[in-house]
Amino acid sequence: MDEKYFPEQIEKKWQQRWAESGVFEATEDDPREKFYALEMLPYPSGFLHMGHVRNYCIGDALAWFKRLQGYNVLHPIGWDSFGQPAEQAAIKRRVNPRDWTEENIVHMRGQLQRLGLSYDWSREIAAHRPDYYKWDQWFFLKMLERGLAYKKVSQVNWCPKEETVLSNEQSSGGICWRCGTQVEKRDLEQWFLRITDYAEQLVRDIEQIEAGWPEKVLKRQSDWVGRSEGAFIDFQIKDTGKKIRVFTTRIDTIYGATAVIVSAEHPLLDEILEGSLLKPDIQAFAEKVKQQRATRTGEAEEEKEGLNIGALAINPFSSEPVPVWVANYVLMEYGTGAVMSVPAHDERDFEFAQKYSLPIRQVIAPATHDQIKGEPVQTTAGDASGEIRQSFTGYGVLINSGEWGGKLSEVAIKEMAEYAKAHGFGEPAVTYRIRDWGVSRQRFWGAPVPVIYCPNCGMVPVPYEQLPVVLPDTAEFTGTGESPLAGVPEFVNTTCPNCDSPARRDTDTMDTFVDSSWYFFRYCDPRNDNEAFNSVITRHWTPVDQYIGGDSHAVMHLIYTRFWTKFMRDIGLVDFDEPVKRLLTQGMVTNRVEGTDEWKAMSKSLGNGVDPDEMIAAFGADATRLFVLFAAPVENELRWSETGIEGAVRFLRRVYTMVWRWHERLSNAAVESDALDSSDGARALRRKTHQTIAKITSDFEGLHLNTSVAALMEMFNQLNDFNADPATASDSDVFAVREALEALVIMLTPFAPHISEEMWDGLGHEGGLLKQVPRWPVADPGLAAREELEIPIQVNGKLRSRVIASPGVSEDELRQSALADERVRALIDGREVVKVIVVPERLVNVVIR
RNA sequence: GCCGGAGUGGCGAAAUUGGUAUACGCACCAGACUCAAAAUCUGGCGAGGUUCACUCCUCAUGUCGGUUCGAGUCCGACCUCCGGCACCA
């Protein structure tokens, strides 16, 4: 240990030692309890940004904490290295995407190492390497085998800027998740994964993780799956023998249905129209709606438009014929693509009915408290003129509904669906909003879809033993819609595995979210050539104990990985339903945008980025890490400030200087036990030490890292105030200082590991902090307990005085000393004491009148 | 529009879940050291009033009301900001 704190020297030294000794490498054959700490793996864009730094500092602090507590910690890292930016670089700068990616990985790995993150580098993986994506292909074939992967022509989301297909999750809100461009619709033949088969489980199993995941993420997942209970009801089309099936959640309103409305893409449209005079008009209308849909701006809702197609549908409950319309606000993708229109009780139907003068018939009356108590039903939806001015969408009491009149909505919804089922014109039903996951990408830089097309045999899966289907070294990167792979004859041309005749490979690659759906299982067994991972080994580590990442993946990666895990369970690879026990979504790191008052996520295009390497060079990795964790609670936005980081440097230097002052005395003098004659100051210091140990240990459970750092600072301040002189201090004082300094150094380690190792060494310990674990201190409640209590005395709820009492003081004693207090007596003089509230060991409140 | 979350000093933020509001840090101010500056160390720092001073008083956690001996915390209404979803029948 040197007298002065030079971060770059210390950090280099310990990074080297860690690498040489392999202390962060985890093995399964370790009897200690395991802990899997995981951070979302980065895309190798070339440069680490502060958001990464924050993410990894949180995870690293937790990994260190658990290690020091004696856990066998798995803390791996890898690269989500397939994807668009590499291909964009290839298109724009004519570089090879593989070279570009590998170079970026080298640079970013260096950055991570300069931060001193405690990863097990022996387990590093990269999605673009054949030994990894071989298993993406294997999983794809497994899904194909089980009918979970299928191909169909459909309208897909298309980002015109990146010229690529996007999944529904990636185009949420109608904009591209990566570049924010307005998404268009295109008809393409695409591979899909049947995530909808798991919709029910994706909602149901939320129960298993709700204790450990942020509520807002679970809510977004549950909204995204969009489970909706209702009923299917068949409306016969008059004079045709055909029927239209509608989905409704409000079967109780069916007597108010004044039309049936189908989507422009509804298949029955063509059938019904056979021979109809209206056919050209309707086809033109349907075409127009399709256009609207394709170019939707995503912002405002379209004006509702529709057309009466001249057919009548029979309401199976009332036997009433109602007109069939086609309209732009009915979506083919949801439910059955057809709805019953109940203007009186649905806002959209109301708006539509107003515009086209469809009848509006009230069939639900609000059920108020009064009404339930027997007051007459108030039909508030209509005014004196009988005109209905807005729809009433709440539950209530059925009116104008034949034999169902008088029932409450809740009851009618159940009974009417059962009735429909019993009479063969419908049934209770559950629908979901989630759609199947479109995974085809007409891109080069991804895992090729392992499928061959043979003129004789049709579509043939690549046999497992022929995996991986390896990407060619390069291709023509035009940036247009077709996959570059289609232009590589050596890749495309192959022979059929069945009949050996010439055949062609599928030229699509898979969505990169396939790679990230299972990568953390691969970390458990990263070099396995025979399987994606060995189940027994992986079972040792998984599920993940704590996952940390940004909440931008709340419905993309996190829903895919839950789906993937359930699939892996179904093919016997894992034996649990949910991959992640606890999830933390950390806040963004923002910086002021030059010349404005706006704080935005750091980015190259806004020019408000901060280079982690510059921070490390200027302040050291330890100070950078400490500041990032101290500046705000982990889930809050973190507004970057350079003055703040100087405070972190200052703190580290002060601690370092303190250890330097004491290190000789502490590493030489063997002071074995606490002498009985300890000074007040020494006892107070020990109390603070043990209080701080308790505080930080429990703060770590909730990842309240900012308050942990504050507690360390407080403890240091008290140590500083204690102000003992190493040359002359008594044995008992030295004992208290040693205890405090050692606890301080150990508890500082998760935040600033390099300087902590250096100071631990300076305090006379050899072999590093992980030489002997558990090392994390344990609080002694006896030592942490206060010797005397300062009890605030309130009069009428206002703080007026304080008294000193000992722990365990009785309520009565406290009451007496409060009433005996001089200031309190002055205040109660001449007034009546109504009562005295005593909170044991906390507070006294004297109520006077 | 619907669904979430949040409003506490000049700033980032604390507050053991109803019990001393503003811990810790940043910024700022003053003092020490220095020829000087930086660094470092020491002290101060919600607002207003009062006192030579020690002190004490009043107000203050977005606004208004309520519950309670006591409210940043619970309840009701509202305002503002941020995020998500957006014709999902």
Side-chain angles (χ1 to χ4, degrees):
Chain A
M1 181 176 198
D2 291 329
E3 184 176 355
K4 287 262 161 54
Y5 171 46
F6 293 116
E8 60 283 8
Q9 283 176 16
I10 292 175
E11 289 170 9
K12 212 169 169 185
K13 167 178 156 188
W14 286 98
Q15 282 164 19
Q16 229 160 40
R17 285 204 193 173
W18 292 331
E20 282 160 13
S21 62
V23 277
F24 304 135
E25 288 171 23
T27 55
E28 293 78 53
D29 54 3
D30 188 313
R32 297 174 299 162
E33 194 179 337
K34 71 94 180 177
F35 190 89
Y36 192 169
L38 179 70
E39 297 113 49
M40 290 183 184
L41 87 178
Y43 177 79
S45 59
F47 303 91
L48 221 55
H49 56 69
M50 278 315 213
H52 290 125
V53 172
R54 190 180 197 194
N55 189 174
Y56 306 147
C57 286
I58 296 166
D60 208 52
L62 181 64
W64 265 106
F65 170 68
K66 288 290 176 182
R67 272 187 208 112
L68 289 164
Q69 276 196 321
Y71 285 83
N72 180 28
V73 173
L74 176 60
H75 190 221
I77 189 76
W79 308 97
D80 188 16
S81 43
F82 268 144
Q84 278 285 59
E87 192 144 345
Q88 293 300 332
I91 294 163
K92 287 187 193 134
R93 285 182 274 137
R94 314 228 136 250
V95 293
N96 183 296
R98 183 174 291 104
D99 298 342
W100 184 86
T101 301
E102 291 287 356
E103 279 165 28
N104 287 348
I105 288 176
V106 169
H107 182 240
M108 288 174 78
R109 187 191 295 128
Q111 289 188 299
L112 293 175
Q113 285 167 342
R114 282 192 288 285
L115 272 168
L117 297 165
S118 63
Y119 290 122
D120 179 349
W121 286 102
S122 73
R123 293 170 184 266
E124 181 184 3
I125 58 174
H128 74 286
R129 301 199 182 127
D131 66 343
Y132 186 87
Y133 69 71
K134 172 181 180 179
W135 302 108
D136 288 333
Q137 294 171 337
W138 183 86
F139 277 118
F140 184 91
L141 292 176
K142 281 285 164 193
M143 291 203 183
L144 193 59
E145 232 170 59
R146 301 208 155 209
L148 289 169
Y150 65 97
K151 213 175 182 186
K152 73 166 182 197
V153 178
S154 76
Q155 277 217 330
V156 296
N157 308 295
W158 179 266
C159 172
K161 183 167 170 205
E162 299 191 353
E163 299 244 15
T164 186
V165 169
L166 299 169
S167 71
N168 293 308
E169 287 78 8
Q170 289 156 4
S171 54
S172 171
I175 56 170
C176 171
W177 72 287
R178 206 183 295 102
C179 66
T181 307
Q182 201 63 236
V183 170
E184 298 169 0
K185 296 278 181 186
R186 284 207 177 176
D187 281 319
L188 283 174
E189 187 174 34
Q190 296 284 298
W191 284 101
F192 288 86
L193 301 183
R194 238 180 260 284
I195 194 171
T196 50
D197 274 14
Y198 290 82
E200 183 63 32
Q201 293 180 47
L202 287 169
V203 176
R204 188 194 64 202
D205 291 348
I206 282 176
E207 183 180 295
Q208 291 183 30
I209 50 175
E210 64 191 346
W213 284 44
E215 214 181 310
K216 75 175 171 193
V217 173
L218 294 175
K219 170 122 189 11
R220 284 180 60 188
Q221 292 228 346
S222 151
D223 284 353
W224 188 260
V225 177
R227 185 180 193 280
S228 180
E229 277 185 45
F232 290 138
I233 299 295
D234 297 326
F235 282 65
Q236 294 291 334
I237 299 165
K238 204 167 174 232
D239 306 326
T240 63
K242 294 187 198 306
K243 57 189 179 188
I244 304 177
R245 169 160 279 210
V246 304
F247 175 71
T248 177
T249 55
R250 292 301 302 275
I251 190 172
D252 57 314
T253 65
I254 197 165
Y255 282 81
T258 53
V260 166
I261 307 183
V262 301
S263 135
E265 297 102 334
H266 200 285
L268 273 171
L269 219 47
D270 286 331
E271 300 177 30
I272 298 171
L273 289 176
E274 230 29 77
S276 162
L277 289 173
L278 291 167
K279 193 171 175 181
D281 290 350
I282 291 163
Q283 278 176 337
F285 178 80
E287 203 44 49
K288 184 177 149 199
V289 172
K290 258 183 133 175
Q291 280 302 315
Q292 257 180 12
R293 197 73 51 77
T295 57
R296 246 192 75 119
T297 56
E299 296 285 300
E301 281 174 16
E302 295 287 346
E303 157 102 21
K304 289 185 178 41
E305 285 185 74
L307 194 64
N308 188 333
I309 68 167
L312 290 174
I314 312 294
N315 182 332
F317 275 89
S318 64
S319 303
E320 179 190 16
V322 295
V324 180
W325 286 63
V326 56
N328 62 348
Y329 74 99
V330 177
L331 310 172
M332 194 59 222
E333 311 87 74
Y334 186 75
T336 61
V339 301
M340 62 181 203
S341 177
V342 186
H345 305 292
D346 182 283
E347 281 176 33
R348 294 152 301 173
D349 293 340
F350 183 80
E351 194 186 324
F352 190 73
Q354 289 252 299
K355 178 166 174 181
Y356 292 103
S357 303
L358 293 169
I360 300 169
R361 187 189 309 142
Q362 189 190 358
V363 292
I364 303 291
T368 62
H369 266 290
D370 292 346
Q371 192 266 322
I372 286 163
K373 276 184 282 177
E375 300 286 320
V377 174
Q378 234 199 329
T379 53
T380 48
D383 62 14
S385 68
E387 191 195 346
I388 296 175
R389 293 182 180 272
Q390 58 173 24
S391 57
F392 168 68
T393 58
Y395 281 0
V397 179
L398 276 68
I399 57 172
N400 302 326
S401 296
E403 63 189 281
W404 304 93
K407 287 196 188 278
L408 289 168
S409 295
E410 293 87 335
V411 176
I413 285 172
K414 280 207 179 77
E415 294 182 1
M416 291 171 88
E418 288 306 327
Y419 180 88
K421 191 177 180 188
H423 289 76
F425 59 79
E427 62 193 312
V430 176
T431 60
Y432 303 90
R433 204 185 83 121
I434 192 170
R435 302 270 72 92
D436 279 337
W437 174 13
V439 293
S440 289
R441 296 293 179 272
Q442 290 69 49
R443 284 289 159 194
F444 174 82
W445 198 229
V449 172
V451 161
I452 291 167
Y453 302 98
C454 168
N456 306 321
C457 315
M459 188 192 76
V460 183
V462 172
Y464 287 105
E465 61 276 12
Q466 288 179 21
L467 295 181
V469 176
V470 181
L471 270 183
D473 283 336
T474 188
E476 192 65 34
F477 298 103
T478 57
T480 57
E482 204 190 10
S483 169
L485 287 176
V488 184
E490 316 83 275
F491 177 84
V492 177
N493 298 322
T494 184
T495 53
C496 171
N498 274 353
C499 68
D500 272 344
S501 41
R504 297 175 62 80
R505 289 190 188 281
D506 196 309
T507 56
D508 283 354
T509 54
M510 296 181 220
D511 185 0
T512 58
F513 279 85
V514 167
D515 314 328
S516 54
S517 290
W518 65 281
Y519 73 99
F520 48 90
F521 290 91
R522 182 73 180 173
Y523 281 145
C524 302
D525 190 16
R527 307 288 169 248
N528 194 328
D529 279 338
N530 305 313
E531 43 190 348
F533 51 83
N534 176 278
S535 285
V536 177
I537 294 173
T538 300
R539 186 65 186 101
H540 178 78
W541 296 111
T542 53
V544 172
D545 293 284
Q546 177 74 59
Y547 198 15
I548 303 164
D551 69 359
S552 57
H553 288 292
V555 286
M556 295 192 288
H557 164 57
L558 289 169
I559 211 155
Y560 297 142
T561 195
R562 292 183 61 219
F563 157 60
W564 212 272
T565 301
K566 292 169 196 303
F567 171 68
M568 293 195 294
R569 174 203 61 201
D570 289 347
I571 59 172
L573 276 179
V574 302
D575 59 359
F576 46 82
D577 304 315
E578 290 291 337
V580 172
K581 285 193 214 162
R582 301 218 315 170
L583 172 72
L584 172 78
T585 51
Q586 104 259 0
M588 281 197 304
V589 181
T590 60
N591 201 1
R592 198 186 287 278
V593 180
E594 192 101 28
T596 73
D597 247 0
E598 283 183 294
W599 292 82
K600 293 210 166 137
M602 294 182 178
S603 83
K604 229 188 242 166
S605 56
L606 288 172
N608 65 342
V610 171
D611 180 0
D613 280 332
E614 280 176 27
M615 292 300 119
I616 295 170
F619 307 104
D622 282 332
T624 304
R625 297 174 56 149
L626 183 71
F627 170 67
V628 159
L629 296 176
F630 173 59
V634 288
E635 58 279 341
N636 281 25
E637 175 186 332
L638 192 166
R639 298 188 162 189
W640 190 255
S641 118
E642 296 237 342
T643 51
I645 197 169
E646 282 162 21
V649 179
R650 210 170 297 158
F651 174 67
L652 291 178
R653 199 180 296 132
R654 276 155 56 92
V655 176
Y656 188 91
T657 305
M658 170 85 73
V659 171
W660 172 257
R661 276 182 57 225
W662 283 92
H663 92 286
E664 225 160 313
R665 175 84 197 255
L666 292 182
S667 52
N668 297 333
V671 181
E672 285 307 327
S673 66
D674 187 16
L676 287 171
D677 60 344
S678 21
S679 60
D680 285 354
R683 282 205 312 281
L685 178 58
R686 296 202 65 193
R687 195 178 311 133
K688 188 68 177 177
T689 300
H690 284 269
Q691 285 170 348
T692 305
I693 294 167
K695 159 100 178 130
I696 293 179
T697 306
S698 81
D699 271 359
F700 256 101
E701 290 310 316
L703 289 171
H704 303 304
L705 304 183
N706 57 324
T707 52
S708 291
V709 177
L712 283 175
M713 289 172 168
E714 257 188 84
M715 179 179 155
F716 174 80
N717 289 344
Q718 181 153 341
L719 184 56
N720 199 40
D721 291 345
F722 182 54
N723 206 19
D725 181 349
T728 59
S730 70
D731 278 3
S732 64
D733 281 1
V734 172
F735 184 90
V737 169
R738 160 177 285 167
E739 179 182 58
L741 274 181
E742 291 193 345
L744 188 65
V745 167
I746 294 168
M747 293 193 292
L748 183 61
T749 309
F751 305 97
H754 312 85
I755 191 177
S756 299
E757 287 271 26
E758 183 72 9
M759 292 189 295
W760 186 249
D761 192 75
L763 289 170
H765 305 283
E766 278 174 21
L769 275 156
L770 292 174
K771 187 187 177 195
Q772 173 202 322
V773 285
R775 188 74 92 179
W776 193 262
V778 176
D780 179 333
L783 289 167
R786 286 173 297 175
E787 289 176 3
E788 60 180 30
L789 308 170
E790 197 188 46
I791 307 290
I793 310 296
Q794 296 180 335
V795 176
N796 284 351
K798 289 202 168 127
L799 179 69
R800 294 301 182 197
S801 187
R802 297 168 212 276
V803 297
I804 302 298
S806 351
V809 62
S810 76
E811 274 191 45
D812 209 49
E813 279 174 275
L814 261 188
R815 180 181 294 109
Q816 294 315 323
S817 48
L819 291 172
D821 182 81
E822 212 177 307
R823 295 209 51 226
V824 175
R825 277 188 17 220
L827 282 159
I828 45 184
D829 186 40
R831 322 264 296 264
E832 182 195 348
V833 176
V834 181
K835 61 172 144 174
V836 181
I837 311 280
V838 180
V839 184
E841 301 199 354
R842 288 304 286 262
L843 164 143
V844 179
N845 188 12
V846 181
V847 186
I848 60 175
R849 187 156 50 202

